[in-house]
């Protein structure tokens, strides 16, 4: 290999490494769904709430949503993520005066 090819290879390696690092960094802002997956029907209720249908949110589901730490983004559909405080606010409004 000549010097020009070596430089191109080094550049491509650096570019690929940077892109891989940035991808993992972006994923760090997404919420884990473990808490809401443990409450039957909760993820579906949260998904519907993202379209302003709050009927299916139960008190148990809202308590699971409360566990999330802000700031993180909950992916409700592929390519559609909402900040978790969006759902936490809905739960507070739906169950006013409760210990949510």
């Amino acid at each position: 290999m000549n010097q020009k090819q070596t430089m191109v290879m080094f550049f491509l390696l650096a570019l690929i490494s940077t892109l891989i690092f940035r991808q993992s960094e972006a994923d760090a802002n997404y919420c884990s769904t473990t808490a809401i997956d443990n409450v039957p029907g909760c993820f579906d209720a949260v998904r519907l709430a993202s379209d302003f249908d709050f009927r299916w949110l139960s008190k148990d589901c809202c308590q699971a949503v409360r566990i999330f730490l802000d700031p993180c983004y909950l992916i409700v559909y592929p390519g559609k993520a909402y900040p978790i405080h969006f759902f936490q606010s809905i739960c507070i409004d739906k169950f006013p005066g409760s210990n949510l």
Side-chain angles (χ1 to χ4, degrees):
M1 259 196 237
N2 65 26
Q3 187 177 2
K4 187 174 184 179
Q5 289 174 326
T6 304
M7 291 295 287
V8 169
M9 291 295 283
F10 178 74
F11 175 75
L12 289 175
L13 180 62
L15 179 65
I16 290 169
S17 297
T18 302
L19 291 174
I20 290 171
F21 176 73
R22 298 292 267 159
Q23 177 66 32
S24 65
E25 194 176 66
D27 289 345
N29 291 333
Y30 293 130
C31 305
S32 168
T33 60
T34 305
I36 60 174
D37 288 340
N38 290 332
V39 177
C42 186
F43 188 79
D44 292 329
V46 169
R47 184 177 281 178
L48 290 170
S50 71
D51 289 327
F52 301 101
D53 183 358
F54 313 128
R55 296 176 294 167
W56 306 107
L57 284 172
S58 67
K59 207 171 209 180
D60 290 338
C61 183
C62 282
Q63 287 188 344
V65 168
R66 180 179 174 232
I67 293 171
F68 291 105
L69 298 176
D70 197 27
C72 72
Y73 289 83
L74 186 64
I75 300 174
V76 293
Y77 294 105
K80 191 174 180 184
Y82 290 90
I84 195 62
H85 72 270
F86 172 79
F87 300 106
Q88 291 168 338
S89 297
I90 292 170
C91 285
I92 289 169
D93 290 343
K94 183 168 171 97
F95 299 103
S98 64
N99 292 330
L100 292 178

XYZ file of all heavy atoms in Angstrom:
800
model
N 0.843 -1.189 0.000
C 0.000 0.000 0.000
C 0.879 1.240 0.000
O 1.857 1.308 0.730
C -0.833 0.014 1.293
C -2.240 -0.437 1.115
S -3.232 0.044 2.524
C -3.822 -1.534 3.018
N 0.444 2.201 -0.749
C 1.187 3.459 -0.728
C 0.625 4.372 0.366
O -0.338 4.047 1.045
C 1.177 4.135 -2.113
C -0.222 4.551 -2.530
O -1.068 4.792 -1.690
N -0.444 4.651 -3.833
N 1.254 5.509 0.538
C 0.896 6.405 1.635
C -0.520 6.949 1.490
O -1.249 7.088 2.491
C 1.903 7.552 1.713
C 1.683 8.417 2.932
C 2.716 9.510 3.064
O 3.584 9.652 2.211
N 2.628 10.271 4.133
N -0.954 7.200 0.278
C -2.299 7.743 0.054
C -3.362 6.706 0.457
O -4.355 7.049 1.104
C -2.453 8.147 -1.412
C -3.734 8.877 -1.711
C -3.748 9.380 -3.129
C -4.981 10.197 -3.391
N -5.022 10.726 -4.725
N -3.161 5.453 0.093
C -4.106 4.403 0.465
C -4.149 4.209 1.987
O -5.212 3.988 2.562
C -3.729 3.082 -0.215
C -3.991 3.079 -1.702
C -3.482 1.819 -2.358
O -2.460 1.267 -1.941
N -4.180 1.371 -3.393
N -2.998 4.308 2.616
C -2.925 4.179 4.068
C -3.715 5.301 4.742
O -4.449 5.065 5.710
C -1.461 4.193 4.546
O -0.750 3.165 3.878
C -1.371 4.006 6.040
N -3.601 6.502 4.239
C -4.336 7.643 4.806
C -5.847 7.461 4.631
O -6.617 7.753 5.548
C -3.880 8.949 4.139
C -2.470 9.354 4.488
S -2.278 9.748 6.217
C -3.101 11.303 6.274
N -6.277 6.977 3.473
C -7.696 6.758 3.218
C -8.231 5.678 4.162
O -9.310 5.820 4.743
C -7.951 6.388 1.740
C -9.381 5.897 1.528
C -7.665 7.582 0.846
N -7.476 4.595 4.332
C -7.887 3.516 5.231
C -7.995 4.027 6.676
O -8.937 3.704 7.392
C -6.908 2.343 5.159
C -6.950 1.607 3.835
S -8.514 0.808 3.554
C -8.318 -0.591 4.618
N -7.042 4.831 7.098
C -7.064 5.396 8.448
C -8.275 6.297 8.633
O -8.966 6.255 9.647
C -5.761 6.164 8.729
C -5.739 6.800 10.082
C -5.561 6.038 11.228
C -5.926 8.169 10.229
C -5.554 6.613 12.485
C -5.921 8.751 11.466
C -5.739 7.976 12.605
N -8.552 7.128 7.637
C -9.702 8.021 7.688
C -11.011 7.232 7.794
O -11.885 7.556 8.599
C -9.725 8.937 6.460
C -10.954 9.796 6.380
C -11.112 10.894 7.211
C -11.971 9.493 5.492
C -12.255 11.678 7.153
C -13.116 10.260 5.431
C -13.259 11.358 6.259
N -11.160 6.194 6.970
C -12.379 5.387 7.005
C -12.543 4.670 8.346
O -13.648 4.592 8.884
C -12.372 4.370 5.858
C -12.576 4.956 4.466
C -12.430 3.874 3.405
C -13.934 5.628 4.355
N -11.456 4.172 8.892
C -11.501 3.522 10.191
C -11.932 4.504 11.277
O -12.767 4.191 12.129
C -10.140 2.916 10.533
C -10.041 2.195 11.866
C -10.986 1.007 11.891
C -8.617 1.750 12.108
N -11.399 5.699 11.238
C -11.768 6.726 12.215
C -13.241 7.116 12.049
O -13.964 7.287 13.046
C -10.878 7.947 12.061
N -13.715 7.237 10.833
C -15.104 7.595 10.564
C -16.058 6.511 11.071
O -17.047 6.814 11.753
C -15.313 7.827 9.064
C -16.729 8.186 8.623
C -17.136 9.525 9.206
C -16.810 8.214 7.109
N -15.759 5.275 10.781
C -16.609 4.164 11.224
C -16.623 4.079 12.744
O -17.677 3.894 13.357
C -16.144 2.846 10.578
C -16.456 2.872 9.079
C -16.814 1.640 11.244
C -15.813 1.761 8.296
N -15.479 4.239 13.367
C -15.410 4.202 14.835
C -16.247 5.312 15.451
O -16.959 5.105 16.442
C -13.961 4.333 15.307
O -13.196 3.255 14.855
N -16.193 6.486 14.881
C -16.976 7.622 15.381
C -18.472 7.360 15.240
O -19.248 7.625 16.157
C -16.595 8.910 14.621
O -15.202 9.133 14.785
C -17.371 10.104 15.124
N -18.887 6.822 14.114
C -20.305 6.542 13.901
C -20.819 5.474 14.857
O -21.940 5.570 15.362
C -20.548 6.125 12.449
C -20.367 7.234 11.412
C -20.480 6.661 10.012
C -21.370 8.341 11.632
N -20.031 4.475 15.127
C -20.433 3.432 16.071
C -20.580 4.025 17.465
O -21.547 3.755 18.173
C -19.427 2.265 16.065
C -19.542 1.499 14.751
C -19.658 1.330 17.251
C -18.456 0.465 14.557
N -19.653 4.856 17.876
C -19.718 5.489 19.191
C -20.934 6.392 19.299
O -21.645 6.386 20.294
C -18.439 6.281 19.466
C -18.491 7.023 20.774
C -18.396 6.343 21.972
C -18.645 8.396 20.801
C -18.450 7.022 23.175
C -18.700 9.088 21.987
C -18.599 8.394 23.179
N -21.224 7.164 18.287
C -22.359 8.086 18.311
C -23.673 7.324 18.379
O -24.604 7.756 19.017
C -22.358 9.005 17.081
C -21.159 9.906 16.981
C -21.130 10.933 18.050
N -21.768 12.127 17.553
C -22.254 13.062 18.319
N -22.158 12.970 19.600
N -22.818 14.113 17.815
N -23.757 6.166 17.732
C -24.967 5.365 17.779
C -25.238 4.899 19.204
O -26.347 4.993 19.698
C -24.836 4.152 16.850
C -26.030 3.211 16.886
C -27.288 3.829 16.355
O -27.250 4.675 15.465
N -28.409 3.443 16.900
N -24.244 4.401 19.887
C -24.449 3.931 21.251
C -24.763 5.087 22.188
O -25.501 4.941 23.151
C -23.225 3.155 21.747
O -22.112 3.997 21.839
N -24.227 6.245 21.907
C -24.497 7.425 22.720
C -25.954 7.851 22.572
O -26.601 8.227 23.540
C -23.561 8.543 22.257
C -23.466 9.720 23.167
C -22.441 10.701 22.655
O -22.662 11.285 21.579
O -21.420 10.852 23.318
N -26.503 7.763 21.359
C -27.887 8.146 21.116
C -28.845 7.185 21.815
O -29.875 7.590 22.348
C -28.172 8.184 19.624
N -28.536 5.907 21.832
C -29.409 4.928 22.460
C -29.502 5.122 23.969
O -30.449 4.660 24.592
C -28.910 3.517 22.154
C -29.138 3.131 20.705
O -29.917 3.803 20.021
O -28.533 2.155 20.275
N -28.541 5.781 24.562
C -28.520 5.961 26.009
C -29.681 6.836 26.486
O -30.045 6.790 27.651
C -27.197 6.566 26.449
N -30.303 7.605 25.612
C -31.390 8.494 26.005
C -32.763 7.831 25.941
O -33.754 8.459 26.252
C -31.399 9.743 25.124
C -30.200 10.620 25.404
O -29.657 10.603 26.492
N -29.785 11.377 24.421
N -32.820 6.571 25.515
C -34.104 5.887 25.421
C -34.412 5.156 26.721
O -33.538 4.585 27.358
C -34.130 4.901 24.256
C -34.060 5.584 22.915
C -33.146 5.183 21.967
C -34.910 6.637 22.598
C -33.080 5.800 20.737
C -34.847 7.266 21.381
C -33.932 6.847 20.443
O -33.863 7.459 19.242
N -35.676 5.182 27.119
C -36.118 4.512 28.342
C -36.190 3.004 28.113
O -36.616 2.555 27.061
C -37.518 4.984 28.732
S -37.722 6.755 28.918
N -35.830 2.258 29.122
C -36.041 0.814 29.108
C -37.514 0.576 29.419
O -38.086 1.226 30.292
C -35.162 0.157 30.160
O -35.554 -1.174 30.351
N -38.145 -0.363 28.737
C -39.579 -0.591 28.936
C -39.874 -1.665 29.975
O -41.028 -2.067 30.128
C -40.251 -0.975 27.600
O -39.647 -2.179 27.113
C -40.137 0.141 26.588
N -38.878 -2.109 30.707
C -39.058 -3.204 31.662
C -40.168 -2.915 32.668
O -41.004 -3.781 32.940
C -37.743 -3.483 32.412
O -36.719 -3.717 31.449
C -37.866 -4.679 33.315
N -40.206 -1.727 33.218
C -41.201 -1.389 34.250
C -42.625 -1.479 33.713
O -43.513 -2.017 34.382
C -40.930 0.006 34.803
N -42.859 -0.968 32.523
C -44.233 -1.002 31.997
C -44.570 -2.349 31.365
O -45.733 -2.691 31.251
C -44.523 0.168 31.031
C -43.599 0.144 29.835
C -44.446 1.484 31.749
C -43.923 1.187 28.794
N -43.557 -3.108 30.962
C -43.819 -4.441 30.427
C -44.322 -5.388 31.509
O -44.997 -6.369 31.208
C -42.563 -5.025 29.777
C -42.204 -4.348 28.465
O -43.095 -3.702 27.866
O -41.042 -4.455 28.039
N -44.011 -5.101 32.769
C -44.439 -5.956 33.879
C -45.883 -5.720 34.294
O -46.420 -6.466 35.098
C -43.516 -5.756 35.086
C -42.141 -6.326 34.827
O -41.971 -7.264 34.066
N -41.138 -5.748 35.470
N -46.506 -4.678 33.772
C -47.919 -4.387 34.071
C -48.722 -4.762 32.824
O -48.528 -4.171 31.760
C -48.122 -2.890 34.420
C -49.594 -2.588 34.666
C -47.275 -2.497 35.612
N -49.608 -5.769 32.938
C -50.357 -6.219 31.759
C -51.105 -5.082 31.058
O -51.840 -4.328 31.677
C -51.339 -7.246 32.332
C -50.714 -7.710 33.607
C -49.968 -6.517 34.139
N -50.880 -4.960 29.753
C -51.569 -3.969 28.932
C -51.034 -2.558 29.046
O -51.518 -1.657 28.353
N -50.037 -2.337 29.868
C -49.550 -0.981 30.110
C -48.880 -0.383 28.875
O -49.133 0.766 28.535
C -48.608 -0.968 31.312
S -48.075 0.696 31.799
N -48.032 -1.155 28.226
C -47.351 -0.594 27.056
C -48.364 -0.207 25.979
O -48.246 0.846 25.361
C -46.308 -1.565 26.492
C -45.468 -0.933 25.422
C -44.422 -0.094 25.767
C -45.739 -1.133 24.084
C -43.655 0.521 24.784
C -44.979 -0.530 23.104
C -43.931 0.299 23.455
N -49.377 -1.036 25.777
C -50.416 -0.691 24.797
C -51.184 0.554 25.221
O -51.526 1.398 24.387
C -51.380 -1.865 24.602
C -50.709 -3.042 23.912
O -49.797 -2.818 23.093
O -51.097 -4.190 24.205
N -51.440 0.684 26.514
C -52.140 1.873 27.018
C -51.300 3.129 26.817
O -51.819 4.183 26.430
C -52.477 1.696 28.492
N -49.998 3.016 27.059
C -49.091 4.156 26.853
C -49.029 4.500 25.368
O -49.030 5.673 24.990
C -47.693 3.849 27.430
C -46.685 4.883 27.000
C -47.756 3.767 28.949
N -48.986 3.483 24.539
C -48.970 3.706 23.084
C -50.223 4.461 22.644
O -50.146 5.406 21.852
C -48.869 2.357 22.373
C -48.758 2.478 20.879
C -48.597 1.136 20.261
N -47.195 0.737 20.439
C -46.703 -0.413 20.045
N -47.482 -1.312 19.488
N -45.432 -0.684 20.203
N -51.375 4.059 23.162
C -52.620 4.762 22.827
C -52.621 6.178 23.392
O -53.152 7.099 22.770
C -53.827 3.973 23.340
C -54.116 2.665 22.601
C -55.161 1.855 23.348
C -54.565 2.952 21.180
N -52.028 6.357 24.566
C -51.958 7.694 25.165
C -51.127 8.640 24.314
O -51.370 9.848 24.315
C -51.388 7.607 26.580
N -50.180 8.100 23.580
C -49.382 8.964 22.697
C -50.235 9.563 21.594
O -49.884 10.583 21.016
C -48.197 8.194 22.107
O -48.628 7.247 21.143
N -51.382 8.928 21.306
C -52.343 9.454 20.333
C -53.545 10.089 21.031
O -54.622 10.195 20.463
C -52.809 8.335 19.398
C -51.722 7.889 18.439
O -50.894 8.747 18.035
O -51.675 6.694 18.102
N -53.356 10.474 22.312
C -54.353 11.178 23.123
C -55.585 10.339 23.451
O -56.665 10.874 23.647
C -54.739 12.512 22.475
C -53.554 13.414 22.288
C -52.938 13.535 21.055
C -53.020 14.103 23.365
C -51.815 14.344 20.896
C -51.907 14.904 23.207
C -51.301 15.028 21.969
N -55.430 9.031 23.536
C -56.489 8.145 24.016
C -56.051 7.643 25.390
O -55.281 6.701 25.508
C -56.686 6.968 23.051
C -57.824 6.053 23.481
O -58.438 6.291 24.542
O -58.093 5.078 22.746
N -56.528 8.316 26.430
C -56.078 8.054 27.797
C -56.954 7.054 28.548
O -56.707 6.771 29.711
C -56.026 9.359 28.600
C -55.343 10.486 27.880
C -55.971 11.709 27.743
C -54.083 10.330 27.336
C -55.351 12.762 27.091
C -53.455 11.369 26.680
C -54.086 12.584 26.550
N -57.978 6.521 27.912
C -58.946 5.663 28.600
C -58.325 4.420 29.225
O -58.797 3.931 30.235
C -60.035 5.207 27.627
C -60.876 6.328 27.079
C -61.842 5.817 26.057
N -61.083 5.336 24.884
C -61.605 4.604 23.914
N -62.863 4.240 23.966
N -60.872 4.242 22.894
N -57.279 3.891 28.631
C -56.751 2.594 29.063
C -55.632 2.696 30.092
O -55.144 1.673 30.581
C -56.285 1.801 27.843
C -57.374 1.700 26.834
C -57.451 2.366 25.644
C -58.582 0.947 26.942
N -58.630 2.067 24.998
C -59.342 1.188 25.789
C -59.088 0.095 27.922
C -60.583 0.597 25.577
C -60.325 -0.494 27.694
C -61.052 -0.237 26.539
N -55.239 3.899 30.443
C -54.192 4.052 31.460
C -54.766 3.747 32.838
O -55.696 4.401 33.296
C -53.633 5.478 31.453
C -52.673 5.825 30.332
C -52.351 7.312 30.345
C -51.398 5.006 30.445
N -54.209 2.753 33.486
C -54.659 2.383 34.829
C -53.732 3.011 35.864
O -52.646 3.508 35.538
C -54.650 0.864 34.988
O -53.302 0.391 34.949
N -54.154 2.944 37.101
C -53.328 3.472 38.185
C -52.016 2.679 38.290
O -50.957 3.251 38.504
C -54.106 3.405 39.497
C -53.706 4.420 40.493
C -54.679 4.418 41.658
C -54.713 5.795 42.249
N -55.606 5.923 43.373
N -52.086 1.359 38.117
C -50.875 0.526 38.157
C -49.919 0.892 37.028
O -48.707 0.953 37.215
C -51.226 -0.955 38.067
C -51.901 -1.474 39.326
O -51.727 -0.849 40.398
O -52.595 -2.500 39.232
N -50.466 1.143 35.862
C -49.635 1.531 34.723
C -48.969 2.876 34.984
O -47.781 3.056 34.731
C -50.488 1.584 33.462
S -49.569 1.979 31.960
N -49.730 3.809 35.517
C -49.163 5.135 35.801
C -48.087 5.061 36.876
O -47.105 5.807 36.824
C -50.269 6.108 36.195
S -51.204 6.712 34.766
N -48.236 4.158 37.826
C -47.181 3.995 38.817
C -45.915 3.433 38.172
O -44.810 3.789 38.570
C -47.658 3.124 39.971
C -48.642 3.872 40.842
C -49.000 3.137 42.116
O -48.761 1.954 42.254
N -49.577 3.865 43.045
N -46.074 2.564 37.176
C -44.910 2.047 36.448
C -44.249 3.153 35.627
O -43.019 3.233 35.542
C -45.322 0.891 35.551
N -45.049 4.026 35.042
C -44.516 5.155 34.263
C -43.767 6.120 35.179
O -42.761 6.711 34.788
C -45.653 5.876 33.504
C -45.202 7.199 32.931
C -46.199 4.984 32.402
N -44.232 6.248 36.400
C -43.610 7.163 37.365
C -42.168 6.769 37.689
O -41.348 7.620 38.036
C -44.449 7.163 38.642
C -43.928 8.051 39.714
C -44.852 7.976 40.915
N -44.274 8.723 42.011
C -44.099 8.234 43.218
N -44.456 7.004 43.487
N -43.575 8.972 44.154
N -41.833 5.496 37.573
C -40.508 4.991 37.925
C -39.406 5.560 37.024
O -38.277 5.731 37.457
C -40.497 3.448 37.875
C -41.398 2.900 38.972
C -39.097 2.887 37.994
C -41.642 1.410 38.881
N -39.745 5.869 35.789
C -38.742 6.348 34.839
C -38.115 7.653 35.302
O -38.796 8.515 35.850
C -39.357 6.575 33.454
C -39.763 5.320 32.767
C -41.102 4.980 32.673
C -38.830 4.483 32.206
C -41.493 3.828 32.031
C -39.208 3.331 31.559
C -40.545 2.998 31.469
N -36.842 7.776 35.058
C -36.138 9.007 35.373
C -36.103 9.894 34.141
O -35.861 9.432 33.038
C -34.711 8.703 35.834
C -34.588 7.858 37.100
C -33.128 7.555 37.373
C -35.215 8.569 38.287
N -36.360 11.142 34.352
C -36.310 12.117 33.268
C -34.881 12.615 33.155
O -34.230 12.776 34.177
C -37.270 13.262 33.607
C -37.626 14.112 32.408
O -37.579 13.582 31.294
O -37.953 15.283 32.610
N -34.284 12.827 32.081
C -34.826 12.776 30.735
C -34.516 11.444 30.051
O -33.379 11.009 29.999
C -34.105 13.897 30.024
C -32.755 13.926 30.661
C -32.965 13.472 32.086
N -35.535 10.806 29.576
C -35.369 9.679 28.663
C -36.560 9.706 27.725
O -37.574 10.349 28.014
C -35.228 8.350 29.401
S -36.712 7.707 30.189
N -36.414 9.051 26.603
C -37.450 9.040 25.583
C -37.987 7.629 25.434
O -37.228 6.675 25.299
C -36.906 9.546 24.243
C -36.625 11.015 24.270
C -35.432 11.507 24.775
C -37.569 11.918 23.817
C -35.184 12.861 24.825
C -37.327 13.280 23.858
C -36.134 13.748 24.358
O -35.896 15.085 24.417
N -39.307 7.500 25.469
C -39.958 6.207 25.333
C -40.367 6.025 23.878
O -41.093 6.858 23.326
C -41.176 6.142 26.254
C -41.889 4.815 26.341
C -40.965 3.756 26.953
C -43.147 4.940 27.183
N -39.904 4.948 23.280
C -40.257 4.641 21.888
C -41.582 3.901 21.905
O -41.668 2.783 22.395
C -39.172 3.797 21.215
C -37.840 4.535 21.212
C -39.591 3.440 19.787
C -36.686 3.719 20.695
N -42.634 4.537 21.390
C -43.949 3.916 21.378
C -44.259 3.260 20.036
O -45.034 2.323 19.971
C -45.057 4.914 21.768
C -44.916 5.324 23.223
C -45.050 6.135 20.884
N -43.683 3.755 18.994
C -43.753 3.173 17.659
C -42.365 3.317 17.058
O -41.621 4.217 17.454
C -44.753 3.923 16.766
C -46.192 3.801 17.200
C -46.834 4.857 17.830
C -46.899 2.636 16.969
C -48.155 4.750 18.225
C -48.228 2.520 17.360
C -48.842 3.576 17.986
O -50.147 3.470 18.373
N -42.008 2.476 16.102
C -40.694 2.670 15.455
C -40.572 4.084 14.891
O -41.446 4.554 14.174
C -40.686 1.628 14.343
C -41.629 0.563 14.818
C -42.701 1.303 15.589
N -39.537 4.778 15.297
C -39.302 6.139 14.826
C -40.141 7.197 15.523
O -40.133 8.355 15.132
N -40.899 6.815 16.556
C -41.762 7.764 17.261
C -41.489 7.651 18.757
O -41.948 6.717 19.414
C -43.224 7.462 16.949
C -44.191 8.517 17.398
C -45.587 8.181 16.901
C -46.593 9.225 17.324
N -47.957 8.855 16.933
N -40.712 8.581 19.288
C -40.346 8.570 20.708
C -40.848 9.849 21.374
O -40.851 10.917 20.762
C -38.836 8.450 20.860
N -41.272 9.706 22.620
C -41.758 10.839 23.399
C -40.950 10.948 24.685
O -40.552 9.930 25.256
C -43.230 10.652 23.778
C -44.181 10.757 22.631
C -44.538 9.630 21.902
C -44.736 11.967 22.274
C -45.418 9.714 20.841
C -45.616 12.069 21.211
C -45.957 10.937 20.503
O -46.829 11.028 19.456
N -40.754 12.168 25.179
C -40.098 12.295 26.484
C -40.999 11.679 27.552
O -42.228 11.817 27.498
C -39.939 13.802 26.679
C -40.818 14.447 25.673
C -41.108 13.457 24.600
N -40.405 11.000 28.507
C -41.187 10.280 29.515
C -42.048 11.230 30.346
O -43.139 10.859 30.783
C -40.279 9.403 30.408
C -41.121 8.391 31.199
C -39.429 10.250 31.326
C -41.889 7.414 30.351
N -41.608 12.472 30.514
C -42.438 13.396 31.303
C -43.778 13.683 30.624
O -44.735 14.073 31.279
C -41.682 14.686 31.645
C -41.455 15.606 30.513
N -40.335 15.544 29.721
C -42.212 16.614 30.022
C -40.419 16.483 28.790
N -41.535 17.137 28.952
N -43.884 13.463 29.319
C -45.164 13.600 28.606
C -46.183 12.630 29.205
O -47.313 13.010 29.534
C -44.945 13.322 27.112
C -46.201 13.254 26.294
C -46.852 14.404 25.899
C -46.721 12.031 25.899
C -48.009 14.347 25.131
C -47.877 11.958 25.136
C -48.523 13.117 24.753
N -45.782 11.372 29.390
C -46.686 10.363 29.944
C -46.880 10.540 31.446
O -47.970 10.297 31.962
C -46.160 8.956 29.628
C -46.038 8.710 28.156
C -44.803 8.692 27.549
C -47.162 8.537 27.366
C -44.684 8.487 26.189
C -47.057 8.339 26.000
C -45.814 8.313 25.404
N -45.851 10.971 32.143
C -45.976 11.229 33.572
C -46.983 12.346 33.833
O -47.789 12.260 34.757
C -44.610 11.544 34.178
C -43.691 10.342 34.199
C -42.248 10.684 34.514
O -41.800 11.814 34.333
N -41.504 9.692 34.973
N -46.970 13.375 33.009
C -47.935 14.481 33.143
C -49.361 14.007 32.885
O -50.300 14.424 33.577
C -47.586 15.607 32.173
O -46.344 16.154 32.473
N -49.518 13.142 31.894
C -50.846 12.590 31.601
C -51.368 11.825 32.818
O -52.522 11.968 33.210
C -50.793 11.678 30.355
C -50.512 12.506 29.101
C -52.100 10.895 30.203
C -50.197 11.678 27.875
N -50.502 11.029 33.428
C -50.910 10.238 34.590
C -51.278 11.124 35.770
O -52.246 10.841 36.488
C -49.790 9.265 34.974
S -49.666 7.856 33.844
N -50.530 12.183 35.979
C -50.847 13.111 37.069
C -52.205 13.764 36.826
O -53.011 13.910 37.747
C -49.732 14.167 37.225
C -48.483 13.495 37.800
C -50.185 15.313 38.111
C -47.243 14.368 37.750
N -52.481 14.136 35.570
C -53.770 14.741 35.237
C -54.909 13.729 35.344
O -56.022 14.076 35.733
C -53.745 15.332 33.830
C -52.873 16.564 33.731
O -52.536 17.156 34.780
O -52.506 16.950 32.599
N -54.646 12.480 34.988
C -55.708 11.453 35.009
C -56.054 11.029 36.436
O -57.202 10.710 36.707
C -55.267 10.241 34.192
C -56.338 9.168 34.109
C -56.016 8.127 33.098
C -56.988 6.974 33.195
N -58.073 7.038 32.262
N -55.059 11.013 37.306
C -55.282 10.598 38.697
C -54.860 11.710 39.653
O -53.911 11.555 40.415
C -54.507 9.312 38.999
C -54.921 8.144 38.149
C -54.129 7.734 37.089
C -56.115 7.487 38.390
C -54.519 6.665 36.294
C -56.491 6.409 37.608
C -55.709 5.999 36.549
N -55.554 12.851 39.652
C -55.177 13.954 40.532
C -55.371 13.579 41.999
O -56.295 12.849 42.348
C -56.095 15.099 40.119
C -57.262 14.451 39.487
C -56.766 13.158 38.887
N -54.474 14.046 42.831
C -54.585 13.797 44.251
C -54.074 12.441 44.702
O -53.989 12.165 45.882
N -53.710 11.558 43.758
C -53.171 10.261 44.152
C -51.672 10.393 44.373
O -51.067 11.404 44.047
C -53.455 9.203 43.095
O -52.789 9.510 41.901
N -51.076 9.397 44.911
C -49.634 9.437 45.220
C -48.785 8.997 44.038
O -47.865 8.235 44.216
C -49.329 8.577 46.443
C -49.914 9.165 47.690
O -50.034 10.386 47.780
N -50.255 8.345 48.646
N -49.107 9.430 42.858
C -48.318 9.062 41.683
C -47.100 9.914 41.562
O -46.957 10.989 41.809
C -49.145 9.168 40.407
C -50.269 8.149 40.286
C -51.035 8.382 39.001
C -49.741 6.741 40.299
